[in-house]
Structures are given as C-alpha cells and as structure tokens.
Amino acid sequence: MTDNAQPGRVGYRDIANDIRREIDSGELPAGSRIPGENDLMSQYGVEQPTARRALDVLKNEGLIVAKRGSGTFVREFKPIRRVSPDRLQANTSWGSGKPIWTTDVGTRPRTEGVTVEIEVPPAAVAEVLQLDDGARVVTRRRRYLVDDKPVQLATSYYPEALVAGSAIAEINTGDGGAYARLKELGYEPTRFREELRSRMPRDNEREALDLAQGTPVILIVRTAFTADDRPVEVNEMVLDAAAYVLEYKFTSLD
C-alpha cells in the first residue's frame, strides 16, 4: 500500500508500478498503447485524478509518451550510439572526408539545420579559447534530426582571427567539416576534452528538440586543441537523453 492509498484502496503509485512492471518485462513492448484514464478508472476502481497521476508518474520517468489524438504509448527507443574516441579520429572520420555526424547515425535518414554568425562569445567560452577582451568568434549553430526527429542541438565557437574568410564561416564547410578546414589553416585538432552532465531541458531546448514530458538532456562541452595545446574550438552539444547511448573506450594504463 502506498502513502496516498487508504486500507483496501489502490493508489496511483500501485497503478504506475503495475504498468512499469509490464513495460520492463516486455509484456508491453515499445510502441504499445497504454490504457487510458477511463480504462484505469474501470480496471482499478479509482477516480480520474488517481488514474491521471499514475500516468504522469510514468511520463515523468520517460517510459511512456502521449500522442495528441492517438493516446499514450510505451516510448520507442532506437538509440544513436555515440562512440568516443572513435568518432574524433582523423583517419576514420573527418580526416577521410566524412562528417563526424555520420559516424553516429550511419545511413539512417538525417538532416541538419545550420546558422552562422560572428559575435562576441559568452565569457566562459572566451576564457577557454584564451581570447582577448572584445575578441569575436565565428559561431555555428546546428539542429540535427534523425528519422525526422530532432535529437541534438550544437553550438560551436571558433576564434574569428583563426577562421575568418574560410569555409568554417560558411554554411557548407566542405568535405570533412570544420576540423578538415582547421587542418588546412594550420590548426589541426589533435587532442580533445569533453565534459558531460545531465540536467532537465530549458524551455527553448524542450521546444527545439520536441522533448516528451520528463525527458532530460545530456550536455556535452568539447574543446579541441592543436598539438601545441592551442584551443581552437568549443562545441556545446545538447542531446535528447532518450535518443542516445554514449560509449567510451579506454585502454589500460598498466
């Protein structure tokens, strides 16, 4: 019996627990329709607020998603596997003319929206890029879609003094993307640092990524360095946590 339930009565957590067990066991597989409020009221003998709250629990856990006009369904999970450091290796990725993005999604249908601006960067970015006061950056903002679903927002910052007049300041950066252009300019990225954290999305991120209720995002901030440790890019990525699996490979230090 849950905290909100009276003796002999079913509480919203009891209902949520039952549905969760069916999802976890596979009895309700991905894409299956979940009983609606009226069905739960009839099945468990509860009032509408109890049934609604049970469904809200599962939505907040990211297990189910409501589709307007269709009902509520078990969330389908076709993960994008983001493998590091493989995706950043020049010989298999950008150095061979492939966008880094394709190492994550392969042949799955994908689109990318790009805007490019020259602006004064946020203070934290200016500090990482070791810029003088007032120095500007070329900012590339992207919104990535896979299978017609937005999955990632990315904002990259490059010192204007390094990349002005290059394809990095254009919508189309050419084969191999921005890293290949940096190499041509004499600033080849050879070392990367990534910082990760998870949080709930901001309103603009929730809207841009079309996130279901209760879905967190993964924030990844990557800094690219040259062989002489000069920072040449800061890339802030916001990932739909329900769309990704992050894989990291390590070798023994012994």
Side-chain angles (χ1 to χ4, degrees):
M1 185 178 66
T2 58
D3 293 340
N4 71 306
Q6 299 176 4
R9 301 285 301 274
V10 174
Y12 74 92
R13 292 191 185 277
D14 299 308
I15 300 173
N17 288 342
D18 285 350
I19 298 175
R20 188 187 301 106
R21 279 193 293 269
E22 293 180 6
I23 294 173
D24 290 343
S25 69
E27 186 176 344
L28 285 174
S32 297
R33 186 166 183 165
I34 297 296
E37 292 178 9
N38 290 337
D39 296 322
L40 295 177
M41 290 166 60
S42 175
Q43 180 180 347
Y44 289 93
V46 297
E47 300 296 328
Q48 186 180 46
T50 300
R52 179 173 300 168
R53 196 168 182 186
L55 294 175
D56 284 343
V57 167
L58 299 171
K59 290 176 185 176
N60 287 333
E61 292 177 359
L63 291 176
I64 64 174
V65 59
K67 298 181 180 180
R68 186 173 299 175
S70 299
T72 304
F73 301 83
V74 178
R75 182 193 293 275
E76 296 191 61
F77 184 48
K78 299 177 181 178
I80 299 168
R81 186 167 293 273
R82 185 182 188 275
V83 183
S84 296
D86 294 11
R87 64 193 307 275
L88 295 173
Q89 292 178 355
N91 61 336
T92 58
S93 179
W94 58 270
S96 58
K98 302 176 183 177
I100 294 175
W101 177 233
T102 62
T103 65
D104 297 340
V105 298
T107 59
R108 292 174 66 178
R110 59 189 185 274
T111 56
E112 174 185 358
V114 183
T115 61
V116 182
E117 297 178 288
I118 297 176
E119 58 191 18
V120 176
V125 171
E127 181 178 358
V128 173
L129 290 176
Q130 302 174 4
L131 300 178
D132 295 332
D133 290 344
R136 302 190 304 178
V137 293
V138 171
T139 304
R140 299 181 59 84
R141 293 183 172 87
R142 287 92 69 206
R143 179 173 179 258
Y144 296 103
L145 290 81
V146 174
D147 301 329
D148 294 324
K149 169 70 172 66
V151 296
Q152 181 188 151
L153 307 174
T155 304
S156 292
Y157 303 92
Y158 307 88
E160 182 189 21
L162 296 188
V163 304
S166 75
I168 293 175
E170 305 295 332
I171 295 296
N172 185 355
T173 55
D175 291 345
Y179 288 170
R181 305 292 80 77
L182 284 170
K183 180 179 180 179
E184 294 169 354
L185 293 169
Y187 304 106
E188 178 181 359
T190 61
R191 183 174 68 85
F192 304 91
R193 178 184 68 211
E194 288 193 344
E195 301 168 283
L196 290 77
R197 70 184 179 97
S198 179
R199 60 170 170 78
M200 297 307 295
R202 297 165 184 166
D203 288 342
N204 64 312
E205 295 166 344
R206 183 181 299 107
E207 181 177 354
L209 292 173
D210 191 22
L211 296 176
Q213 178 183 345
T215 303
V217 294
I218 302 169
L219 176 63
I220 302 176
V221 180
R222 182 175 69 235
T223 305
F225 299 88
T226 61
D228 59 357
D229 280 339
R230 180 171 187 169
V232 291
E233 180 210 41
V234 172
N235 188 358
E236 298 178 344
M237 295 159 275
V238 179
L239 282 60
D240 175 356
Y244 277 86
V245 169
L246 307 185
E247 178 181 333
Y248 287 85
K249 296 182 178 179
F250 300 90
T251 56
S252 173
L253 298 178
D254 295 338

